[in-house]
Amino acid sequence: MTTFICTACGTQYPPSDAPPANCPICQDQRQYIPASGQRWSTYDEVRRTHRAAFQRYEPHLLGLGVTPDFAIGQRALLVERAQGNILWDCVAPLTDATIDLLRALGGLRAIAISHPHYYTTMVEWAHAFDCDVWLHEDDARWVMRPDARVRTWSGETRSLGDGVTLIRCGGHFAGGQVLHWQDGAAGNGALLVGDVVQAVPDANFVSFMWSYPNLVPLPASAIDKIEQALAPYAFERLYGAWWNRSTVEDAKNVVTRSAARYREALTRVLL
Ligand SMILES: [Zn+2]
Ligand SMILES: [Zn+2]
């Protein structure tokens, strides 16, 4: 049976004969319905019209995506570990080439996704690799295709074993999570953030928003929460959600500096 995918956000819906009436992910103010209206594709079609794209970022970290970009245009990351690989974030078209490559690399032990904009076809990936998807329970209401493989966790952190930890930062979404990889950046720690923390053109800063497409900022209390959530973790490098301009060095200091700048901007008095 056909599964429909929203072409604006990449979210896949349960099998159906006709497209869903609407896409709640796009109706939310953190996304948008395009001016041209709600459009749908199918899982078969997006697999047919996209090719796999890969990029090596550092040893044991591989970017996974498609060309041309689809929907929001993010790419996923594969953390390769002897104890089992972890997929961070997701893209809608899961191509045969991607399946072959991942199987050759040992498959997947788990999938974790930063926030609902990247849930896309997570159920397809989970079934293809016979593994669970870990989401924070505060975002459970945004799961458009429930499945036994989609699991939620509660609280502030959850270990995926062997130095990989999910950290709830909130902000962009209440359950927005990042992944701390202790062995990343040559053992200095790496943080995989989706757009819970946003890499920006200036590599000396990152930023944070409640709605990126619609430019709605977060309150200072949310910035405090993100900083506090990350405080116990060392990380030299940060990886955002995009192919380009998304790798940040000296990342711990960059996040601290950026949080301070953001708070200052929220209270600035223009003369
Ligand atoms: Zn959508
Ligand atoms: Zn987002």
Side-chain angles (χ1 to χ4, degrees):
M1 191 180 275
T2 302
T3 59
F4 286 90
I5 292 179
C6 171
T7 59
C9 71
T11 300
Q12 183 187 37
Y13 286 76
S16 60
D17 292 325
N22 49 51
C23 176
I25 300 291
C26 284
Q27 288 178 314
D28 177 63
Q29 290 182 41
R30 284 163 285 192
Q31 246 294 107
Y32 58 94
I33 297 168
S36 55
Q38 174 71 53
R39 294 254 162 81
W40 299 98
S41 186
T42 66
Y43 183 58
D44 291 341
E45 185 181 2
V46 301
R47 293 184 82 229
R48 203 166 45 237
T49 52
H50 291 79
R51 286 180 289 126
F54 307 114
Q55 182 175 342
R56 172 68 64 197
Y57 286 101
E58 62 172 80
H60 310 296
L61 188 72
L62 189 69
L64 297 177
V66 291
T67 184
D69 285 346
F70 179 68
I72 294 173
Q74 79 280 4
R75 56 102 181 86
L77 291 165
L78 181 75
V79 181
E80 299 167 73
R81 308 182 308 164
Q83 307 87 347
N85 300 326
I86 294 173
L87 180 76
W88 172 248
D89 282 337
C90 199
V91 295
L94 172 54
T95 68
D96 287 340
T98 305
I99 292 171
D100 290 346
L101 178 87
L102 289 186
R103 289 202 174 132
L105 292 172
L108 296 179
R109 179 162 160 187
I111 299 169
I113 302 179
S114 56
H115 74 297
H117 289 152
Y118 303 157
Y119 289 175
T120 65
T121 59
M122 59 183 174
V123 172
E124 301 288 348
W125 291 69
H127 289 178
F129 296 101
D130 195 24
C131 68
D132 289 336
V133 182
W134 289 99
L135 311 175
H136 195 276
E137 71 169 2
D138 285 2
D139 288 343
R141 62 180 285 234
W142 297 108
V143 174
M144 296 294 121
R145 188 183 177 188
D147 188 89
R149 282 298 195 184
V150 177
R151 312 274 301 273
T152 59
W153 61 278
S154 57
E156 300 307 313
T157 63
R158 182 184 176 88
S159 173
L160 293 182
D162 309 303
V164 173
T165 307
L166 299 176
I167 305 164
R168 184 177 83 99
C169 285
H172 180 36
F173 273 82
Q177 59 181 353
V178 301
L179 183 150
H180 183 253
W181 176 33
Q182 190 176 290
D183 291 341
N188 295 309
L191 200 66
L192 282 48
V193 296
D195 63 2
V196 172
V197 177
Q198 181 77 288
V200 295
D202 183 347
N204 296 302
F205 287 92
V206 290
S207 196
F208 319 87
M209 292 288 259
W210 183 73
S211 174
Y212 289 101
N214 302 314
L215 304 177
V216 184
L218 287 165
S221 57
I223 307 304
D224 296 345
K225 163 77 178 79
I226 292 169
E227 256 201 312
Q228 286 159 14
L230 298 178
Y233 299 91
F235 51 92
E236 168 63 25
R237 196 171 290 150
L238 177 149
Y239 290 97
W242 311 95
W243 286 117
N244 300 315
R245 294 191 315 210
S246 74
T247 305
V248 176
E249 306 289 347
D250 190 27
K252 185 88 176 185
N253 289 329
V254 166
V255 170
T256 301
R257 182 189 308 139
S258 303
R261 180 177 78 165
Y262 202 97
R263 277 188 291 260
E264 193 273 332
L266 289 173
T267 56
R268 189 177 299 159
V269 177
L270 294 180
L271 298 175

